[in-house]
């Protein structure tokens, strides 16, 4: 299977891993359709893509907007979900339940709504590729209770959707430590120190880049015999 002339809807496609997926889809001859809640981000990303790329604005916290989005788009070939807000880490004692519920809005409920409203529009041979993280299997340190929970929930959702939506294929990519805008709210010296420490600990000797992860999403779209699978791309993070 190839992505030549295939339409790929990328929710969260204007930043980080999603934007890298959009660029690789275009290089592979496909047509990326990037989606964000921010019109300015959509315009900026489209300026980096071929003229046939499309951009859409939708708030992924709103089931109604997600439903309307797929009504506007119509039939397409693959759905990629990389949307997520800034990472929320902290001890259980400091965590409020309201903030925990908010964290699930985009990362879990948005993904579930996207699968619900998009599944019937995906053409035969198409797929859904979701996003989790290795924290679901191996929390890196204290303060990852919420992050680990959402990653594990996404992987359970993937397996259930693969059964329920068959023969539509549903898979998920599980990144390790990756340099993306999700770390943007952290002070730069602290962020750089974390990057350096992670690079020294990983067997590959560096942290991941968005371009590294994008290849995994394209593989799962093009690999027509994989469904319900978790593809870990972590630089060996699960080993150390």
């Amino acid at each position: 299977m190839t992505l030549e002339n295939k339409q790929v809807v990328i929710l969260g496609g204007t930043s980080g891993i999603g934007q890298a997926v959009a660029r690789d889809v275009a290089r592979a001859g496909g047509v990326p359709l990037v989606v964000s809640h921010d019109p300015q981000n959509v315009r900026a990303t489209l300026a980096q893509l071929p003229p046939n790329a499309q951009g859409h604005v939708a708030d992924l916290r709103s089931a109604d907007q997600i439903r309307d989005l797929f009504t506007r788009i119509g039939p397409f070939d693959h759905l990629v979900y990389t949307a997520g807000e800034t990472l929320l880490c902290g001890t259980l004692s400091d965590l409020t339940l309201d903030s925990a519920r908010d964290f699930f809005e985009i990362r879990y409920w948005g993904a579930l709504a996207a699968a619900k409203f998009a599944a019937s529009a995906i053409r035969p041979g198409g797929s859904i590729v979701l996003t989790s993280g290795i924290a679901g299997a191996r929390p890196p340190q204290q303060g990852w209770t919420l992050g680990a929970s959402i990653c594990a929930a996404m992987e359970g959702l993937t397996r259930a959707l693969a059964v329920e939506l068959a023969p539509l294929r549903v898979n998920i990519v599980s990144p390790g430590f990756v340099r993306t805008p999700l770390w943007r709210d952290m002070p730069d010296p602290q962020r750089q120190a974390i990057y350096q420490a992670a690079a020294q600990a990983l067997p590959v000797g560096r942290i991941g880049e968005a371009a590294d992860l994008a290849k995994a999403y394209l593989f799962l779209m093009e690999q027509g015999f994989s469904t319900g699978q978790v593809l870990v791309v972590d630089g060996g993070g699960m080993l150390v």
Side-chain angles (χ1 to χ4, degrees):
M1 300 180 68
T2 72
L3 293 181
E4 186 75 29
N5 298 319
K6 301 297 185 182
Q7 290 184 309
V8 181
V9 176
I10 307 160
L11 302 184
T14 65
S15 179
I17 294 171
Q19 191 177 75
V21 171
R23 289 194 294 265
D24 278 6
V25 166
R27 293 189 189 106
V31 180
L33 291 77
V34 297
V35 180
S36 171
H37 74 284
D38 188 331
Q40 183 175 344
N41 288 348
V42 171
R43 290 192 295 269
T45 298
L46 288 178
Q48 305 174 40
L49 297 171
N52 65 345
Q54 300 178 30
H56 297 269
V57 177
D59 182 354
L60 301 182
R61 295 177 182 271
S62 168
D64 289 342
Q65 289 195 34
I66 295 172
R67 181 196 59 220
D68 294 345
L69 168 71
F70 290 108
T71 299
R72 293 197 307 271
I73 290 174
F76 64 100
D77 298 287
H78 298 279
L79 172 64
V80 171
Y81 197 95
T82 62
E85 65 290 283
T86 302
L87 294 169
L88 180 61
C89 297
T91 62
L92 184 62
S93 59
D94 292 335
L95 181 68
T96 68
L97 294 183
D98 285 342
S99 64
R101 292 187 181 98
D102 285 345
F103 191 67
F104 270 72
E105 281 296 331
I106 291 179
R107 291 178 177 266
Y108 181 85
W109 294 113
L112 180 63
K116 173 180 175 65
F117 295 121
S120 61
I122 297 176
R123 297 185 181 106
S127 70
I128 297 173
V129 187
L130 303 174
T131 304
S132 65
I134 63 170
R138 189 170 187 263
Q141 60 191 37
Q142 292 182 353
W144 278 83
T145 297
L146 188 56
S149 299
I150 187 65
C151 291
M154 289 301 299
E155 293 179 12
L157 174 64
T158 296
R159 288 185 284 269
L161 290 177
V163 173
E164 181 164 345
L165 300 180
L168 176 65
R169 296 181 295 108
V170 185
N171 295 289
I172 192 164
V173 176
S174 179
F177 203 106
V178 183
R179 191 195 318 268
T180 75
L182 290 179
W183 300 92
R184 63 182 174 269
D185 288 350
M186 184 178 293
D188 186 64
Q190 183 181 354
R191 183 171 60 247
Q192 295 304 324
I194 290 176
Y195 287 168
Q196 183 177 1
Q200 292 173 347
L202 289 173
V204 297
R206 65 177 179 88
I207 63 172
E209 304 291 345
D212 296 317
L213 272 296
K215 294 176 175 59
Y217 292 82
L218 266 69
F219 170 78
L220 289 173
M221 284 186 273
E222 295 176 328
Q223 218 300 12
F225 199 57
S226 290
T227 193
Q229 299 304 303
V230 180
L231 180 52
V232 175
V233 185
D234 68 346
M238 293 283 285
L239 303 176
V240 295

